[in-house]
Structure formats: structure tokens, C-alpha cells
Amino acid sequence: MINTNLTIARCADEPLPITHGRLMDFPDDPIACLRRLHAEHGNVCAMEEQGQRIYFVFGPEFNHQVLSDMNTFHSQFFAIRGSRNSSQRRLTSGLLSMNGEQHKRNRRMVMDAFMKKAILNYVPSIKIEVESMLADWVPGTERDINRDMTDFMLRLTSSILFGIDQPEVAYKIGHMIDEWVHLNHELGMGAFVADPTIAGRYGDLLAYAGKLEAEILDMIRLRKENSGGTDALSILINAHDSEGSISDEELVGSAALMFAAAHLTTAHSLSWTLFLLAQHPTEMNKFHREISTHLTGGFPSLEQTEKLTFVERTIKESMRVLPASSYSQRVTATPVELGPFKLAPGAGIVFSQFMTHHMPGIYTDPDVFQPDRWLHTNPSPYEYLPFGAGPRMCIGAPLAMLILKTTLPTILQRFKVSVVPNSEVSSKVISTMLGPTTSVMMRIEKQDGRFESQPVRGNIHDLVDLREIPVLRRAA
Ligand code: HEM
């Protein structure tokens, strides 16, 4: 259902909706900036500093325009591409930097590694990694769940993408890709603004890219020597179409992007879901009842996960309220009209999953975590888009869902998690991803099915209404 009232009608002589200000306000606090722009201007506007502009669009109609037309709206994910023959250029050349025919072809090939049949091969890795994480959990202790989920996903993503026969080598590459993504974020904001104050550190980034590329090329050689692997890289190496197979240069970009796209997005989704459940005892109770009914204490089989309908609703709702990918960007490739603006090629546009998911015209009480809303809510793909929408929609969505649907029940069958009272939980969007920027301290107990929320501090209260529904109803 698309709400047709969302676009603002504008007279020809009305001034254009433009905010003049620091463009760096956006990466400094993306959600605050998006909220301010939306409140001031409605569903389309621009922010301008010294003649440089970023355009912002909000809501399903503009999401549809920007996400469905790949010829007009190109993807350009990394700000710093490096020179033509550099490691940095090759590492930043994965799917999210490709457009047109090259994107279509590579996407088809990369998809092979994430189809239902292929992702079943990754189930043993998920089981090994979750068991190994939980082996360290001791009832009666406090743990930083954010750190646990980030480490767990670093190991799991490394083994899924690069294989389990050499876990430490795979883990080392994973770790390096994380460092490299972090450096990219520090040195350039998305694809739009390069901060001149840190220009001197480009050399560090380019040198690090050289080392990382050498490691990935070693791994590619290793995988080629030991053919028959079921990891994503081996599947990609063996993929071919009428034009042949993927070149080593393309493999380098694909490996880096797949890792970067999979690791923190899934880790954040795991952390947020555990946090939201812990702070909503009624929902945690429903979750626990369902897993106790259908599971027998161990890692769930695929048949068992299919019966976990409340678990599914919980994950969907968690990714609505706190979407790990909270905004993304496009660059115009041809002239186009965007609301009242006439854009020339090269214009940068931001759209936001977070803002769409919190629109009261689409979701009642949008800031409230309410998994059962999914019993009667059926949004269009441009109203609910945690994995993006249209022809560039996330190819890892089925894998991410598999990880979430097996890992969360495995944890919560064995352990009760509750937030450490009065701890701080804060968050910020870094490199398009909304994740905790503080520890998420939780007390771990043996699961006893008795749940209680706790007072927390931090800016998490700006993002989600942590009062439970019965409390809200009483207040109304
Ligand atoms: C909860 C976890 C995940 C979330 C929230 C997520 C979110 C997204 C989103 C929103 C996009 C579209 C970006 C855009 O349109 O600009 C995307 C694209 C992509 N994702 Fe994911 N993702 C997740 C997990 C994964 C995993 C596990 C992989 C596996 C490798 C993956 C690989 C990719 C790739 C390769 C693309 C680019 C697709 C293209 O351009 O055609 N993602 N993801």
C-alpha cells in the first residue's frame, strides 16, 4: 500500500526546499539530520554548502523512484576509489560500485553463492560458531553482547566466505577487511563528501589496501588449488557464464564487498534483537514459549525454524525499528526530475530505511517494538526495506535470515539475557549502518523463563520507545 498523500504539492514560484548548512552535519549525526530535514521540508529536499549539494528523499514513493530505476540512479558506495590500477580501486569495485550490464552479470554470478541450495552448506559453520561462542558464556556473569555478536559474525562471515579449513587465515582477512572499511569511513563520507582535514591519511589507506589485496589474492590462489570447496569464494571462482568466469580482479572486489556487507549488518541485527527482546518481557516470554514448544535444546534444524513464526515476526520487527542498514545513496547517471528539482548527472541522493520504517502513515506507533503487528501489516517493498528493494536488493538476505533464525533461538533456549540496570546503550549510524556505539551490557543467567526489563540510559531512547504496549495503553 503506497500512501499517495506523501508527496508535497508545490507551486512553480515557491522556493525550492533547500537547507543551507554544513554538509558534514549529515555524517556527524545522520538520523538527527534526516529527521530535521524531513520535519522542515517534507519528502524531498536538498542540503547545500558552497555550491555542493546532497539531495534527500523520504517515503515509499521516492524510494520506488530511486531504487527501481537503475539506469538513472547509479550506486556508488565508496568515496575513495584510488587510481585506476590501484589495490584500492580493485577492492572498491564490488557489486555496490557496479552499474549497468557489469552489475547484472556479476550479480547473477555472485547470487549462485547465496541461493537456497548454497546457503544450506553454511549451516554447519553457523552451528560451530554459535556453539563456540556460547561455550564461553557463564551464568551469573555480565557480558557485552554487542562485542560478542560482532566477534561471532567476524568468525562466521570469514568461514562462510573463505572456508573452514583455514579458519585463522580466513579470520585474519575478515579482520583486515573490517579495518579497511573503518579507514574508508574515517576518510570519506559515503560517496559524497571528502573531508580535507584528513587528506594526509590517504597514503595509509592506500598502503593498507595493498596489503589486504595481497592476502585476498593468496586466499584466491589457495581456493583455486583446492577445488571443490563449498565456501562462497570457491563458488564464485567456479561460476561462469557465456563470457567466461569472474576475473581475479573482480573476485578481489566481490570478496571485500561481500564481507563488508555481511559482517556488521548481521551482527547489529543480532545485538538489537536481543536488546529489544530483553527490554520487552512480554515479547521475550512469547519468544521463549515458542522455542520451548518447537525445539529440544540444541541448534534448530531447518524444519524446526520454519515453525518459529513468532521468532520470524520478532526479527522482522527488530529490523523495522532499528534497521542495521539505515540509509543508502545513489548518484544520478542522466538528467532527471526529483520532486521539484531538476538534477544533472552526478547528483548524490540519500534515501533512508530508518525514516521510512518510522513513518506513522505506514506503521501505527512506529517507534514501538511490537512483533505481532506483522500479523496484520503487509507493507509494500518500498515501505519495508531492511534489505533494500528493487534490482539491487540484498543478495545475502536469505543467509542473514537463516543466521538470525538459528542463532537467536540457540542462545535463548540456554541463556536468559537481561540488560544490566542503568547501563548506557547509545547508537550512531556509521558508514550507513545503525549499530550500538556503546557496549550492550547484559547479565547472563541459565534460562528460567522469567523476564524483566531494566532501566537504561543513552540515546537509544531517541530511536525506539521502550515502554511496553500495556504501559502505553494505560497511559493513553
Ligand atoms: C541483516 C543483515 C543484512 C542487512 C540489513 C543488509 C542490507 C542490505 C541492503 C539495504 C542492501 C542494498 C543497499 C542499496 O540498495 O544501496 C544490501 C545489498 C547487498 N548485500 Fe546485504 N544486508 C545484510 C546481509 C548481507 C549478507 C549476509 C550478505 C552476504 C554476502 C550481503 C551482501 C550484499 C550484497 C553483495 C549487496 C549488493 C547487491 C547489489 O548491489 O546488487 N548482505 N544489503
Side-chain angles (χ1 to χ4, degrees), residues 325-391:
S325 172
S326 63
Y327 75 84
S328 197
Q329 58 227 8
R330 293 290 185 267
V331 175
T332 51
T334 56
V336 63
E337 285 190 17
L338 189 73
F341 295 102
K342 291 185 178 15
L343 272 54
I349 302 157
V350 170
F351 66 93
S352 167
Q353 290 93 330
F354 180 91
M355 294 298 289
T356 308
H357 291 180
H358 285 256
M359 286 185 153
I362 306 172
Y363 300 98
T364 334
D365 296 328
D367 299 343
V368 179
F369 174 70
Q370 209 183 336
D372 279 339
R373 76 168 72 237
W374 291 98
L375 290 170
H376 47 78
T377 309
N378 191 16
S380 78
Y382 296 94
E383 292 172 326
Y384 180 69
L385 58 167
F387 292 108

Side-chain angles (χ1 to χ4, degrees), residues 313-470:
R313 291 200 288 284
T314 301
I315 296 167
K316 267 181 111 167
E317 179 67 348
S318 158
M319 291 202 291
R320 182 190 69 78
V321 183
L322 295 171
S325 172
S326 63
Y327 75 84
S328 197
Q329 58 227 8
R330 293 290 185 267
V331 175
T332 51
T334 56
V336 63
E337 285 190 17
L338 189 73
F341 295 102
K342 291 185 178 15
L343 272 54
I349 302 157
V350 170
F351 66 93
S352 167
Q353 290 93 330
F354 180 91
M355 294 298 289
T356 308
H357 291 180
H358 285 256
M359 286 185 153
I362 306 172
Y363 300 98
T364 334
D365 296 328
D367 299 343
V368 179
F369 174 70
Q370 209 183 336
D372 279 339
R373 76 168 72 237
W374 291 98
L375 290 170
H376 47 78
T377 309
N378 191 16
S380 78
Y382 296 94
E383 292 172 326
Y384 180 69
L385 58 167
F387 292 108
R392 300 200 89 98
M393 194 181 156
C394 177
I395 56 164
L399 172 62
M401 287 305 286
L402 178 68
I403 296 170
L404 287 155
K405 279 161 81 174
T406 50
T407 301
L408 292 165
T410 305
I411 297 173
L412 293 172
Q413 280 181 97
R414 265 177 248 178
F415 294 99
K416 176 167 92 171
V417 296
S418 57
V419 177
V420 170
N422 300 313
S423 53
E424 180 188 348
V425 177
S426 286
S427 168
K428 185 180 161 180
V429 180
I430 296 178
S431 201
T432 76
M433 281 176 284
L434 178 69
T437 46
T438 51
S439 322
V440 179
M441 293 307 296
M442 294 221 179
R443 190 163 178 82
I444 310 295
E445 304 283 1
K446 218 165 157 290
Q447 184 57 272
D448 63 3
R450 296 209 313 256
F451 307 109
E452 221 181 307
S453 61
Q454 299 295 340
V456 283
R457 297 176 294 113
N459 79 0
I460 188 67
H461 295 286
D462 299 340
L463 302 177
V464 51
D465 186 340
L466 290 173
R467 289 173 300 165
E468 280 223 76
I469 290 292

Side-chain angles (χ1 to χ4, degrees), residues 201-219:
R201 292 178 56 207
Y202 286 166
D204 298 346
L205 172 66
L206 300 185
Y208 199 78
K211 282 192 219 151
L212 171 59
E213 185 186 34
E215 293 283 346
I216 297 179
L217 283 169
D218 273 352
M219 180 57 99

Side-chain angles (χ1 to χ4, degrees), residues 30-72:
I31 301 271
C33 184
L34 289 168
R35 280 176 166 161
R36 195 175 62 244
L37 291 171
H38 186 235
E40 278 171 15
H41 297 298
N43 288 332
V44 57
C45 66
M47 199 153 112
E48 186 173 302
E49 181 181 23
Q50 294 178 352
Q52 202 186 352
R53 265 192 201 176
I54 306 178
Y55 295 87
F56 293 85
V57 294
F58 301 97
E61 286 193 337
F62 283 114
N63 291 344
H64 181 265
Q65 182 186 358
V66 168
L67 290 173
S68 62
D69 178 359
M70 282 214 299
N71 295 329
T72 308

Side-chain angles (χ1 to χ4, degrees), residues 67 75 77 95-98 103 107 110 114 153 157 161 254 257-259 261-267 269 319 323-325 327-330 351 353 385-389 391-397 399-401 403-404:
L67 290 173
S75 174
F77 196 73
L95 270 188
L96 274 174
S97 304
M98 290 179 190
H103 172 260
R107 186 175 162 102
V110 174
F114 298 98
M153 276 311 298
T157 314
L161 294 188
S254 284
L257 178 76
M258 286 190 306
F259 192 95
H263 172 213
L264 285 179
T265 47
T266 316
S269 303
M319 291 202 291
S325 172
Y327 75 84
S328 197
Q329 58 227 8
R330 293 290 185 267
F351 66 93
Q353 290 93 330
L385 58 167
F387 292 108
R392 300 200 89 98
M393 194 181 156
C394 177
I395 56 164
L399 172 62
M401 287 305 286
I403 296 170
L404 287 155

